[in-house]
Structures are given as structure tokens and as C-alpha cells.
Amino acid sequence: MTEFNIYKDYKHNDELRRSFNELATTVFGINFEKWYQKGYWNDRYIPYSYVDQGKVIANVSVNLLDFIVDGERKRAIQIGTVMTHPDYRNRGLSAKLMNHVLAEYENQYDIMYLFANQTVLDFYPKFGFQRASEAQFSIEYTPSNPNVTGLNKLDGSNKNDLDFIYKMASERKPVSNKFGTINTEGISMFYSIYVFPDDTYYVEDEDAIVIFTSEDEQVDIFDIISRKEINLGNILSKITNTNTKKIIFHYTPDYPGIQTQSENFNGDDVLFVKTNGNNTFPNQVKHPITSKA
Ligand SMILES: CC(C)(COP(=O)(O)OP(=O)(O)OC[C@H]1O[C@@H](n2cnc3c(N)ncnc32)[C@H](O)[C@@H]1OP(=O)(O)O)[C@@H](O)C(=O)NCCC(=O)NCCS
């Protein structure tokens, strides 16, 4: 087999980045260019790719972040954007890239993890990853006193608004001390641009950014970005209405005095984990959706 070279962290190389985006568009229908051009692709998202005659043909990306687990910091590495061009599959390229990344980061993480789609559930165990479960947290809630004052919509296509979100995300507290992430402002901007451009609000009283949707009786909270502890009751009174009956949290809520219900989370993707030393992935938590690569 022809030997291809591995290229790493080439985001500022326009030609390779364009080719990486072409492959990501072909395989997943996603394109990172806007994220790069707006300046949010930082040094924590690192592609490792095989290149054939200037074209990216296979990739494994590393995303460096930290977990907060019961108040304690853990070094985490999230693997993502694992893809091989259809013409180059079953030639061992993904396996070589995975093994390269595993060797390069050996002993440099407490927890390595990824989210696998249904077509690759038997792929990651080959590299020592084990399936883990997540929980979904919710509360029953109807506001006694809805009050939408001081709720300002942010525009995910406006550079000033995006820069404001990026600054807040860079200085944020983890969304939860039970299980939260930090150093994730880059990845979270991916969600601000592509996933939640119309669902992001600034709550003046709390100096917090809240990403949420409201439909019928349900409000889904995807993130609350704040530099200090927030008062959830105050935020809920602004983002709910008299029809609201249920709040779903897309992270692990940890609010004093608020008792949540939890059930098994059955998403499209499955969490796979590999740990170092005596670290374990915590039970009964939900990985914050806005940090998912
Ligand atoms: C999954 C994918 C990255 C594999 O790439 P690849 O370069 O063809 O994989 P490799 O040739 O390195 O395969 C390595 C090993 O995994 C096996 N394998 C490959 N694809 C697999 C799959 N989908 N499920 C289970 N095993 C798989 C191979 O048979 C090989 O096994 P072996 O070592 O026992 O011979 C590629 O099929 C792809 O791009 N799929 C679409 C994108 C995708 O779903 N990515 C995962 C995102 S979570």
C-alpha cells in the first residue's frame, strides 16, 4: 500500500483546510469554514489527517478540554470528526490515525472519549474504548410569575454578538460542578454559529447567556453561560410561559434546592470512554451538549 503522510494542526493552511472541509461535507454534511473565518477555531481543536496529492483522505480530530467532576479538574481529550474518504476506506487509515493519536497523547489525559454514531459501534472498542451511558435530567415547572424583562435575543449571524458569546464562554464557570467542562469556548462557538443561531439570549439580571428553545409545554435548556453562580429560578421565570410544564437540561444540572428527575439518555450517538490510571467516567451525568465535538 502507498504510504501517506500525516498532517497535523494545519488549520491555517488554506488548501488543506479547504480539502478537510470538502471531506467533512461529503461524509457528515458539515463545513468548518465559517467557524475558522470568524476566529473561533482555536488551538484546542487539532485535526490529524492523511493527505494524498494535496487532498485530505482520512482524519481523526482531537479536542483538548477539561472536565470538572464533583468540583475536581480532569484533563480530557475528545475525539471527533473521524472520517475516511469513501474511496480510501478499509485500508487501515482510520486505525493508523487513531493509534497515532493514542500514542501521541499517551499519559496526557485522564479521560479520553467520543460520541459514536450507530454505524461505528464496533469500531471504537478496537482501540480500547468502552461504551458508557448518559442520563437526561428534567424538572416539572410552571412559572408562578413569568417575567420576560431583561431578556435580549442575540444573533448568531452577527459578529459582535458572537464575539460577546465567545468572551463570556472564555470566562465562564463550568455549567455544573457535578459534571461540567471548561476550555470549551471554541467548540461552543460551533454551536452558536451552526446549531443555535436563533436560540441564544442574554439575561441582564443574571449577566448570563441562555441557549434554549420553547415548544408547546416543554423548554429545552442547552447551556447557561455565566461567570458566576446563577439563580435558576430567575432565569426560568424569563424563558418559560404559563403553558410550560417541563424543563429538559442538555447538561448535568446542579442547582441548590432544585431536585431534578433523571432517566437514561437515549440519543442518536453513543458515548465511548477510555481512561488513564484510576480515573473513571462519572455515572449519572449528561455531557454538556455545547461541548460535544
Ligand atoms: C468509520 C470509518 C472512519 C472507518 O474508516 P476506515 O479508514 O475505513 O477504517 P480502517 O480501514 O482503519 O478500519 C480499521 C478496522 O476497523 C474495522 N471497521 C471499519 N469500519 C468499521 C465500522 N463502521 N464498524 C466496525 N468496524 C469497522 C475494519 O474492518 C478494520 O478492522 P480490522 O483491524 O479487524 O481489520 C469510515 O468508514 C467512515 O468515514 N465512515 C463514515 C463516517 C463515520 O461514521 N465516522 C464515525 C463518526 S463517530
Side-chain angles (χ1 to χ4, degrees), residues 211-257:
I211 306 177
F212 75 97
T213 57
S214 175
E215 202 178 331
D216 302 329
E217 298 177 343
Q218 183 171 312
V219 171
D220 287 76
I221 305 182
F222 300 99
D223 202 357
I224 300 180
I225 303 170
S226 168
R227 291 171 287 210
K228 57 179 178 53
E229 296 292 332
I230 51 97
N231 179 327
L232 184 70
N234 192 16
I235 287 178
L236 290 182
S237 72
K238 296 181 190 303
I239 66 172
T240 56
N241 58 58
T242 47
N243 292 328
T244 307
K245 294 215 168 95
K246 188 171 191 178
I247 314 287
I248 305 270
F249 298 94
H250 293 263
Y251 53 87
T252 308
D254 175 29
Y255 300 110

Side-chain angles (χ1 to χ4, degrees), residues 156-205:
S157 61
N158 176 301
K159 179 72 171 126
N160 287 338
D161 284 4
L162 286 170
D163 280 345
F164 174 65
I165 300 170
Y166 188 63
K167 183 168 189 313
M168 290 279 283
S170 307
E171 297 168 359
R172 74 176 298 166
K173 282 177 74 71
V175 73
S176 150
N177 269 323
K178 188 168 171 359
F179 182 72
T181 52
I182 44 174
N183 291 319
T184 48
E185 58 272 19
I187 200 89
S188 98
M189 292 314 290
F190 191 89
Y191 284 82
S192 294
I193 296 169
Y194 298 103
V195 186
F196 301 121
D198 291 322
D199 307 311
T200 304
Y201 296 79
Y202 176 64
V203 177
E204 277 173 23
D205 288 4

Side-chain angles (χ1 to χ4, degrees), residues 27 82-84 89-92 94-95 117 119 123-124 126:
V27 176
V82 177
M83 55 183 180
T84 299
R89 286 186 189 162
N90 296 312
R91 291 160 70 167
S94 258
N117 65 45
T119 70
F123 180 68
Y124 295 108
K126 289 178 187 290

